[in-house]
Amino acid sequence: MILVTGASGFVGHALCSSLQDLGCKVRAVVRNIDQKANQDRVAIGDISSETDWGRTLEDVHQIVHLAARVHVMNEKSADPLAEFLLMNVAATINLARQAASAGVKRFIFLSSIKVNGEFTEMGKAFTADAAPAPDDPYGISKYEAEKALTQIARETGMEVVIIRPPLVYGPGVKANFESMMQWLKRGIPLPLGAITDNRRSMVALGNLVDLIIVCINHPAAANQTFLVSDEESLSTASLLRRTSVALGVKVRLFPIPPILLKYAAKLLRRESIYQRLCGSLQIDITKTQKLLGWKPPLSVDEGLRLAAKGDA
C-alpha cells in the first residue's frame, strides 16, 4: 500500500491517478473527504505535529509526502518562518516517526529546489550534492525537514528519498504560470523580448510524477537526494514564445533592455520579481539520470501543450 499525503493537490491528484492506472494500491490522504482523490481516501483535516496517523498507516509500505505549506507570494503572516516550520517540519517529523514505528519501508519527501538557493550563475547549475543555501522561509523549512528526515532514517532504518523540484507546470497549474498563460491568451504586450540570455529549469507535471513513481521502489533511490527538471532549460523570452505556440496564440513581446527592467524593479521594490523573470535557475539532473536510469518522458513542448490543454 502506498500512502499519498496532499492527494487532492496539483501533484497529488496526478500522482494518485497515475498510480491507479498502474494498478497500485493507494491510500489518498485529503483534508476533507469530499475533496477529489483516487482509490482509498482518508480525511485527516489539517496535518500538524499532533496528528495521530494510527490506523491510516496500517499495511502501508511506502509514503509519498506531498502535503506542505507552499511558497506564498503575498505573505500575510507576522512570522512566516514559524508557520512554515510548523507544517513543513514539525508535521513531517511527526508523520515520519509514526511511519517508522509502523514499519513503513520508504518515505519519499517532496522538497524544493529552493533548498539549493534562489538563482544560479550562467553555466553553473545546481547539483543534488551541492551545499544547500536556502534563502526564504519556505526553502529553510524544506531544508530543516530534509535534515530531520535524514536523521530519522539513520535512527530507524526507514529509507528516505528526497526530491527537489523547481517550478512545476501542467494541466491545472495555478499561480504565476497560470497568470502567464492568461496574459498570452489575452494578447497583452509584454516587455520581456530581450530576456534571452538567462536560463530557467522547470519540470512538467508528468515528468515529476514519473520520477516519484520510479523512486517508490527503485533500490538505488534509498537515502538519496535527487533534483528533477525537464531536459531543457529556457530563457524567459523562449518560454513565452513556446507557451504561446502551445496555446495557439500570437505572442506580443517588445524588447526592453534588462538593465532598465532592473532599475524599474528597484524603484518599485520588486527586485524579487525581476530576479524570477530575468535571472537564471539551472538544474543538473545528471545524478538522477545515472543513478536511476531515468529520463524525463515529456519534452518541454509536450509539457507545455498539456498545460495549455488543461487551461482551455
Side-chain angles (χ1 to χ4, degrees), residues 223-277:
N223 301 314
Q224 295 289 339
T225 296
F226 298 108
L227 303 191
V228 59
S229 72
D230 299 334
E231 285 194 294
E232 185 179 6
S233 299
L234 304 179
S235 70
T236 299
S238 180
L239 171 62
L240 291 166
R241 292 190 176 98
R242 288 165 72 167
T243 304
S244 70
V245 171
L247 289 166
V249 299
K250 185 175 181 179
V251 65
R252 301 177 66 187
L253 298 179
F254 57 97
I256 298 293
I259 190 66
L260 294 182
L261 292 174
K262 185 175 183 179
Y263 181 70
K266 187 174 182 179
L267 285 177
L268 297 171
R269 297 182 179 179
R270 294 292 186 269
E271 290 93 340
S272 62
I273 294 177
Y274 169 82
Q275 181 59 53
R276 286 194 294 274
L277 289 173

Side-chain angles (χ1 to χ4, degrees), residues 179-217:
S179 297
M180 179 194 73
M181 291 195 294
Q182 292 303 318
W183 295 338
L184 292 171
K185 288 169 70 175
R186 294 169 186 166
I188 296 174
L190 300 172
L192 302 171
I195 313 303
T196 58
D197 292 330
N198 69 331
R199 292 294 182 274
R200 297 196 71 87
S201 298
M202 308 180 301
V203 63
L205 178 61
N207 288 338
L208 176 57
V209 166
D210 188 75
L211 178 62
I212 293 172
I213 291 173
V214 168
C215 286
I216 288 174
N217 286 309

Side-chain angles (χ1 to χ4, degrees), residues 1-309:
M1 176 76 72
I2 303 166
L3 180 77
V4 179
T5 71
S8 59
F10 176 52
V11 177
H13 184 69
L15 174 63
C16 288
S17 294
S18 294
L19 289 171
Q20 183 181 30
D21 291 342
L22 292 171
C24 300
K25 290 184 177 180
V26 179
R27 184 167 295 154
V29 175
V30 297
R31 181 177 286 113
N32 301 307
I33 202 66
D34 60 343
Q35 289 183 313
K36 290 183 178 180
N38 291 297
Q39 296 204 4
D40 182 8
R41 293 182 292 174
V42 178
I44 290 292
D46 291 324
I47 297 173
S48 74
S49 61
E50 303 299 321
T51 300
D52 181 1
W53 290 91
R55 296 181 61 184
T56 305
L57 295 173
E58 289 182 2
D59 301 319
V60 170
H61 298 99
Q62 298 97 351
I63 292 175
V64 182
H65 185 42
L66 306 176
R69 187 177 195 264
V70 298
H71 181 63
V72 180
M73 292 299 297
N74 297 306
E75 181 62 70
K76 293 181 173 59
S77 172
D79 190 351
L81 180 57
E83 295 293 329
F84 279 114
L85 292 176
L86 281 173
M87 177 63 185
N88 296 349
V89 183
T92 298
I93 291 172
N94 177 54
L95 171 58
R97 290 205 177 279
Q98 291 188 49
S101 296
V104 171
K105 179 182 178 182
R106 181 169 290 187
F107 190 104
I108 299 173
F109 178 64
L110 192 68
S111 185
S112 168
I113 196 60
K114 283 178 169 286
V115 170
N116 287 74
E118 295 293 324
F119 62 91
T120 57
E121 297 179 30
M122 279 295 292
K124 295 183 179 180
F126 285 139
T127 61
D129 298 320
D135 188 56
D136 70 354
Y138 175 65
I140 292 169
S141 71
K142 286 293 189 177
Y143 181 43
E144 291 300 319
E146 288 186 13
K147 291 191 292 183
L149 289 171
T150 300
Q151 184 60 36
I152 291 171
R154 292 195 191 103
E155 294 172 357
T156 67
M158 181 176 70
E159 298 170 352
V160 167
V161 183
I162 295 166
I163 301 174
R164 297 179 189 159
L167 184 151
V168 185
Y169 66 97
V173 66
K174 301 296 182 185
N176 290 339
F177 204 93
E178 180 187 29
S179 297
M180 179 194 73
M181 291 195 294
Q182 292 303 318
W183 295 338
L184 292 171
K185 288 169 70 175
R186 294 169 186 166
I188 296 174
L190 300 172
L192 302 171
I195 313 303
T196 58
D197 292 330
N198 69 331
R199 292 294 182 274
R200 297 196 71 87
S201 298
M202 308 180 301
V203 63
L205 178 61
N207 288 338
L208 176 57
V209 166
D210 188 75
L211 178 62
I212 293 172
I213 291 173
V214 168
C215 286
I216 288 174
N217 286 309
H218 199 299
N223 301 314
Q224 295 289 339
T225 296
F226 298 108
L227 303 191
V228 59
S229 72
D230 299 334
E231 285 194 294
E232 185 179 6
S233 299
L234 304 179
S235 70
T236 299
S238 180
L239 171 62
L240 291 166
R241 292 190 176 98
R242 288 165 72 167
T243 304
S244 70
V245 171
L247 289 166
V249 299
K250 185 175 181 179
V251 65
R252 301 177 66 187
L253 298 179
F254 57 97
I256 298 293
I259 190 66
L260 294 182
L261 292 174
K262 185 175 183 179
Y263 181 70
K266 187 174 182 179
L267 285 177
L268 297 171
R269 297 182 179 179
R270 294 292 186 269
E271 290 93 340
S272 62
I273 294 177
Y274 169 82
Q275 181 59 53
R276 286 194 294 274
L277 289 173
C278 303
S280 292
L281 195 159
Q282 290 181 276
I283 294 174
D284 183 345
I285 60 171
T286 300
K287 174 184 175 181
T288 308
Q289 292 176 304
K290 287 186 175 180
L291 202 59
L292 302 178
W294 181 77
K295 177 181 174 64
L298 297 176
S299 69
V300 170
D301 291 317
E302 289 169 331
L304 290 173
R305 282 194 293 271
L306 290 171
K309 184 177 180 181

